[in-house]
Every structure is written in structure tokens, then in C-alpha cells.
Amino acid sequence: MSKTISLLGATGSIGLQALDVAEKLNYTVAAMAAGSRVEPFEQQIRQWRPSLVAMADERAAADLKVRIADLPTKVTAGPDGLCEVAAIPEADVTLNSIMGVAGFLPTLAAIEAGHDVALANKETLVAGGAVVTAACAEKGVRLLPVDSEHSAIFQCLQGRPPQGKPQKLILTCSGGPFFGKTKADLEAVTLEQALAHPNWSMGLKITVDSATMMNKGLELIEAKWLFDMEPDAIDVVIHRESIVHSLVEYADNSVIAQLGVPDMRIPIQYALTYPDRYPSPVKPLSLAEAGKLTFFAPDHETFPAIELCRAAIKRGGLYPAAVNGANEQAVALFAAGKLPFASITPLVSRIMEQPWGEATSAEAVLEADRESRALLLELAEA
Ligand code: NAD
Ligand code: MG
């Protein structure tokens, strides 16, 4: 069945792969949004001819408006523009692949409009999981996971009996570029080394998060909200080959896994076509070619970010929003050469030292985000 989508974060790593999937499925794109890069976005608009587009950056949007004056496409800008794109009535599903908490309000706007949301933007759930899941329940819409681990779990859960809630979720984790390193080894790490992920080619922020393992901590929180699981019932196992994408353990200790070559077009496509499956451009998995699959316990001493996130979600309220905001700020400082890699997680951890309130509204979530960024900047300068 052909569908119409709205795509946020079109120019990013997930956005590009989503358009590849959409092209092969013969889907229509009603609306698109991007951050600030005008040229690649203009090309995408000329190819896909959406009726509405938005750019987060107002000046980029003004530039775009001039460049595509020959098209009937409406151009909007800023957070309101992103929300308008997310909520476009023609869309059957909104795919949110914006980087960071900037994706939070657009996710809510899509839900408000009654759209199912294919969610790559994990920061939406980390910062505002309580608000987002309440909005979904109220509107009767679904969150369809795009993150590969969560797509794997979602797939493993298909066909379970109604009372068949799993007793445990097991997230796999590649271990990133610094697997096997010690704390001392991480002292002199450069941005280039942090960006050399062994298995996945992704945007800057998630690649740095994979190097600190914060990504897996954020995914633990994401899994709690997507699958309504207690944080202590979510385990992490290092799996260097990224072929087993995650696992589910049921009451009888039977464990179900989802496997495939590491290619985000499989989870993107499943989120878009759910519950159906269609042929995909991704190559089939050859286990014989893979040869060996390995698993290790995480090294929490060198990479404390997973347990930091577990502690944040166990405290609840706005702690996860604060950890997320502080981490976004810390990664931006590291990328700008203003913070050593080894300081990212220790500084983010200090966010836990102060009380954070309850996640009662979207505004409270965004306020905690702003406050935690400001606090992280103070801590980094001290
Ligand atoms: P990316 O940096 O490659 O792309 C981000 C996209 O968001 C771009 O289109 C950019 O223009 C846009 N953007 C950035 N800041 C924005 C803002 N303030 N407002 C509006 N748009 C903005 O990132 P990515 O790797 O595609 O990741 C996107 C999201 O998907 C992240 O939440 C990430 O954690 C998640 N994710 C990515 C992968 C992956 O393989 N890349 C896997 C799982 C989950
Ligand atoms: Mg993932």
C-alpha cells in the first residue's frame, strides 16, 4: 500500500536513507524539514515536490524561499515551521529523524495531528517520554521505533500473547570505537578518533554518543518508554558485529532475537510499512560469511554513561531531560574542541547532584533542557 509521509531531518543520515526507502516503496512525501543546509535540501525538494517545507534556521529558510520561488512549495521556518511540517494533514505517518531535543515539539505536533510517528529522534523520548506517551494514549496513535535496537525488540514482540509481556529486554551495543580501552586511554582521544565508528555511518552527535556509550544509556531510557519496562529489566550486552540487533526474554527464559546486516534501511522500512513487510534494498544476512558472533559484558568503569542513564530514569521526573540536555551541550563543546572527550560523561553526571522537578508538561521538559545546558556550560568553564 502506498503511503504519504512527512519527513523531519531530511538531509541527515537517517533522512537520506528514509528517502531511499520511500523511493523504492513508491511513497509520496507531503512535507519535509531540515536544519540549516540549503543546497542539499533544495535538491531533495526538487526531486520530491512536497507541498510544505521548513528549515529550523530562519536565514536558511529565507535563502531557500528565493531559490525555489519557481515551485509551488510553501516554505516555513523555526520551531513552528517544524511543527507545521510534522502535522501536515496529508501524511499517514511522520518520520522524525531530527537530531536532539529539537525534535520534541515536532513529535508532539505529529501526535496531536493524529499521525503515527516513526521515531528515530530518541531524544524526544529520553527528555519527554512521560509527556509523549501520555499524548499517544490520548490520541490513540502509535510510536514506531526506527532505532535499530528498538525496532529489533518491536519485531521480537510481534505475535506474543496478550499477557506475554517479556521479563527482560537485552539491548545489543557495538561497543563503539573505544571498546577495550581503559579510562587512561580515553584521556587523549581526538574528535576524529571518536567519529570512527566501526559499524555504522551516522550523524556527529550519535556517533560521539556511541563512543562514550551515552547512546546506549539514552536507548535504555527510550526502551523504558517504548515498551513500558522497568529500567532494571533492561540489560545491555556488547556485540561487536552489530548483527544481532537486540533480544527479548520471556517468562519461560526463551530468548527471541532479530538479526540482519547493519543497515538502518531495514528498521526505517519496517517502521514505515508496519505491520507489513516488503522487499528491501538491503543485502541478505549470511551467517556463514559473518562466521562468528561475539558477546561481552559492558565495562561500566570506563564507560559509566549507561548506569548514569539508568540512575536518571529510576529517579524519574526531569532527571532524564536534564541528562539529555547536558549531554547535547557537552557533545557540542567536544565537537568544537572546547571539552576533552574524557570529561563528557563526568560533567554530565554532575547534573544529577541537583534536584529536578516532575515532567508535568512539555514546557517543564524544555525548561529542564535549557537549565541543564546552562549548568553544563558553567561546569565546563569552572
Ligand atoms: P544527522 O546529524 O545526520 O541529521 C540530523 C538531521 O536533523 C539533519 O537533517 C539536520 O538538518 C536536522 N537538524 C539538526 N538540528 C536541527 C534542529 N535544531 N532543528 C531541526 N532540524 C535539525 O543525524 P542522524 O544520524 O540522522 O540522527 C538523527 C536522529 O536519529 C538522532 O536522534 C539519532 O540519535 C537517531 N538515530 C540515528 C541513527 C543513524 O544510524 N544515523 C540510528 C539510530 C537513531
Ligand atoms: Mg541504536
Side-chain angles (χ1 to χ4, degrees), residues 64-311:
L64 179 71
K65 210 168 185 170
V66 175
R67 284 168 178 258
I68 61 165
D70 59 310
L71 301 181
T73 305
K74 179 181 164 194
V75 181
T76 61
D80 291 346
L82 299 177
C83 290
E84 202 183 325
V85 164
I88 189 166
E90 292 79 8
D92 300 303
V93 55
T94 298
L95 198 164
N96 186 350
S97 58
I98 287 176
M99 185 283 287
V101 83
F104 174 58
L105 289 180
T107 302
L108 285 177
I111 296 166
E112 278 303 313
H115 297 333
D116 286 342
V117 180
L119 191 66
N121 177 249
K122 66 191 83 187
E123 294 89 350
T124 276
L125 282 176
V126 174
V131 174
V132 170
T133 51
C136 283
E138 195 189 319
K139 286 284 168 181
V141 304
R142 267 190 300 243
L143 291 177
L144 300 157
V146 170
D147 212 348
S148 57
E149 296 76 2
H150 305 75
S151 174
I153 290 168
F154 186 56
Q155 294 182 56
C156 294
L157 293 173
Q158 301 305 314
R160 73 185 186 284
Q163 74 282 17
K165 189 170 170 177
Q167 63 185 6
K168 201 191 275 178
L169 306 180
I170 304 159
L171 298 172
T172 54
C173 172
S174 73
F178 303 135
F179 172 72
K181 301 271 188 237
T182 64
K183 254 191 168 148
D185 295 335
L186 297 184
E187 292 293 333
V189 155
T190 64
L191 179 62
E192 197 188 357
Q193 289 169 326
L195 292 182
H197 195 281
N199 303 344
W200 302 96
S201 160
M202 312 178 286
L204 180 140
K205 194 248 174 188
I206 183 174
T207 307
V208 174
D209 284 347
S210 300
T212 57
M213 301 274 217
M214 191 67 77
N215 184 51
K216 210 50 56 180
L218 302 178
E219 289 185 352
L220 187 155
I221 299 173
E222 183 186 13
K224 178 244 149 37
W225 290 114
L226 280 171
F227 307 114
D228 187 24
M229 291 292 286
E230 288 303 318
D232 282 336
I234 306 171
D235 282 358
V236 174
V237 66
I238 306 291
H239 168 48
R240 294 295 283 159
E241 296 80 10
S242 296
I243 283 179
V244 178
H245 296 302
S246 279
L247 314 90
V248 164
E249 182 186 284
Y250 286 100
D252 54 359
N253 290 341
S254 176
V255 176
I256 314 262
Q258 186 261 342
L259 287 73
V261 295
D263 188 316
M264 287 305 296
R265 290 175 300 176
I266 292 180
I268 291 168
Q269 176 164 314
Y270 190 65
L272 292 178
T273 65
Y274 172 83
D276 298 318
R277 291 187 187 269
Y278 293 96
S280 141
V282 178
K283 74 172 189 185
L285 171 65
S286 163
L287 281 174
E289 211 174 276
K292 187 165 74 170
L293 302 180
T294 57
F295 301 91
F296 305 90
D299 171 3
H300 294 302
E301 169 77 25
T302 309
F303 300 99
I306 299 174
E307 292 309 307
L308 165 63
C309 289
R310 191 190 302 278

